[in-house]
Amino acid sequence: GRRRWVHLPRPLTLESGDHLPNVRIAYEMWGLPNPDRSNAVLILHALTGDSHVTGPDSPGQASPPWWSGLIGPGKAVDTNQYFVVAPNVLGGCQGSTGPSSIAADEKPWGSRFPALTVRDQVTAEALFATELGIDRWAAVLGGSMGGMRALEWAATYPSRVGSLLLLAC
């Protein structure tokens, strides 16, 4: 996977009523989508993780891959069969919009960054999926905070989730 970015087309409305402008979601992907993208699998990382779930390291990655035993050719999540997408969480520090991002005043958000809920993060991920042309995930997988987001996907967007794999959440 190589890091890529999607910019959401409009400000994100948060549960608090605040609006977060210029939202960018960084992500990695593996495998190829089929024509209707029904083979798409969403991988959601833990609080201290990032989108680098498998594959070789490349510049700008903070850590080695963390799920290489599960994701890849011939593995449980077979990238020869599935189109695997792993976004970096909104509010994190690995390329998606967060406190270190530049605000409208051209200064880092820092402590001014709005408080986010898990639902806010999943709302951003749902808009991200729409931008990628994915209406429904074949599966959503997550551990720890990623598992909490996977549960929120199933609760908020049940028609967009085929199945769940939850770990330690």
Side-chain angles (χ1 to χ4, degrees):
R2 195 183 89 217
R3 186 180 292 181
R4 301 165 190 246
W5 293 268
V6 163
H7 293 269
L8 299 186
R10 61 185 180 279
L12 180 66
T13 302
L14 305 175
E15 277 195 283
S16 66
D18 289 339
H19 298 278
L20 184 59
N22 304 317
V23 173
R24 177 177 91 160
I25 303 293
Y27 68 102
E28 289 188 45
M29 61 185 185
W30 303 264
L32 297 171
N34 58 16
D36 65 359
R37 296 190 175 328
S38 62
N39 67 333
V41 173
L42 179 63
I43 307 293
L44 301 173
H45 66 77
L47 176 64
T48 59
D50 61 27
S51 64
H52 189 48
V53 299
T54 192
D57 291 344
S58 63
Q61 288 170 328
S63 60
W66 52 272
W67 245 359
S68 291
L70 184 70
I71 300 163
K75 297 182 179 177
V77 181
D78 189 342
T79 53
N80 291 325
Q81 179 182 358
Y82 294 105
F83 175 51
V84 178
V85 180
N88 282 311
V89 70
L90 178 69
C93 56
Q94 294 297 322
S96 292
T97 300
S100 64
S101 300
I102 303 301
D105 62 4
E106 299 185 15
K107 296 178 183 173
W109 278 97
S111 64
R112 300 174 299 142
F113 194 76
L116 298 175
T117 65
V118 169
R119 183 165 290 157
D120 292 331
Q121 293 168 330
V122 170
T123 298
E125 291 166 358
L127 293 168
F128 159 79
T130 299
E131 288 298 305
L132 292 181
I134 299 169
D135 297 323
R136 185 172 194 266
W137 298 103
V140 178
L141 288 68
S144 189
M145 187 182 84
M148 294 185 324
R149 294 191 339 264
L151 284 168
E152 186 63 40
W153 263 97
T156 304
Y157 303 101
S159 66
R160 296 187 76 176
V161 176
S163 60
L164 292 171
L165 174 65
L166 307 170
L167 299 122
C169 58

